[in-house]
Amino acid sequence: EHTQLRKLLQPAFTPKAIKRWADEARVLGVELVENIAPRGHCEFVADFAKHLPMIIVLRMLDLPLEHREKLIYWVSTGIRSVDQEERAAVREKMNAYIEDLVDRRTAAPGDDVLSKAIHTEMDDGSRLTRELAIGLASGLIGGGLDTVATTMTWIAWYLAQNPEQRKTLVDEPQRIPLATAEFLRRFGVSNIGRIVVKDMEFYGAPLKAGDAILMPSAVRGLDERVFDDPLTVNFDRRNAHDHTTLSHGPHRCIGIVLAQQELRIFLEEWLARIPDFELDESDPPVMAPGIVPSIDRLSLKWRAS
């Protein structure tokens, strides 16, 4: 089933398609940074990190750019709010939005990735059910926004406190691709939530049907049996790509190449225009645990030219 669903999305993530989205991401990234740079300060999450990936998702789904603020709020609140009622209310709004989107794309398909997935036959001649289409759209919006934005923020947080390594990337931008893999390894944010379907024992731990569990797959990047000195960011680490931050095998994130491109674009365009920046001590970072450990607020400052 998973393989069939993945095949429906694959055309949107071919090298040619990725290049198109990456080219758009670079234009948008430059625009965002150039608007921010003269100010000498920013709240990185709200001013940059959440905008770049969301704009690309909206382009892929052919949705109005003016929808980005509410979608950013719905996705972030639905994942991170500790207020159960608020989280439920936001998810209800998000679900209604996605259901309406699926119904409109079903009735009047366009040239976007969701329309093509809905109207393409699978190997057995069937097409997506409404339920699966809703799940697919939800995954594209949530996954496309949150993982990239959160990883980007951890990278900015790290570089703000490590000027020597920041200068390395400014002076040697050709090292950014490997540095991107190293950042994905060190700051893995994607964990897997699952429900236990039957009573069992796993390595001595009793699991009961109905239990909610969190499998922190991202911590493989911090395994000293795989990576020497794993807590240290090392731009020369040759096996940096050997992480499971974006899953592995048949479940490897279908958008991993696009995600890597967006992170590289951030590093290339931001460091070219704001090479020296630091944490704003008057407004300390706000961090949050959960299925996606995040920095919810990151205030940065620099000397504006």
Side-chain angles (χ1 to χ4, degrees), residues 135-211:
L136 209 61
S138 178
L140 285 169
I141 293 173
L145 165 66
D146 203 72
T147 304
V148 176
T150 301
T151 304
M152 204 177 283
T153 306
W154 281 111
I155 293 172
W157 171 82
Y158 178 84
L159 289 176
Q161 301 171 87
N162 291 274
E164 289 186 9
Q165 284 179 293
R166 189 176 66 237
K167 187 175 185 303
T168 294
L169 297 183
V170 171
D171 294 344
E172 303 175 61
Q174 70 273 15
R175 301 182 70 174
I176 286 176
L178 186 55
T180 299
E182 175 68 351
F183 282 131
L184 279 166
R185 177 202 67 81
R186 175 61 184 85
F187 298 110
V189 299
S190 299
N191 296 298
I192 302 168
R194 289 290 184 267
I195 303 297
V196 179
V197 297
K198 65 179 180 180
D199 292 354
M200 65 175 292
E201 188 173 285
F202 187 73
Y203 288 91
L207 302 177
K208 300 296 183 182
D211 284 352

Side-chain angles (χ1 to χ4, degrees), residues 184-192 215-222 243-246:
L184 279 166
R185 177 202 67 81
R186 175 61 184 85
F187 298 110
V189 299
S190 299
N191 296 298
I192 302 168
M215 296 183 283
S217 57
V219 299
R220 184 177 187 275
L222 305 180
H243 58 72
T244 55
T245 294
L246 295 171

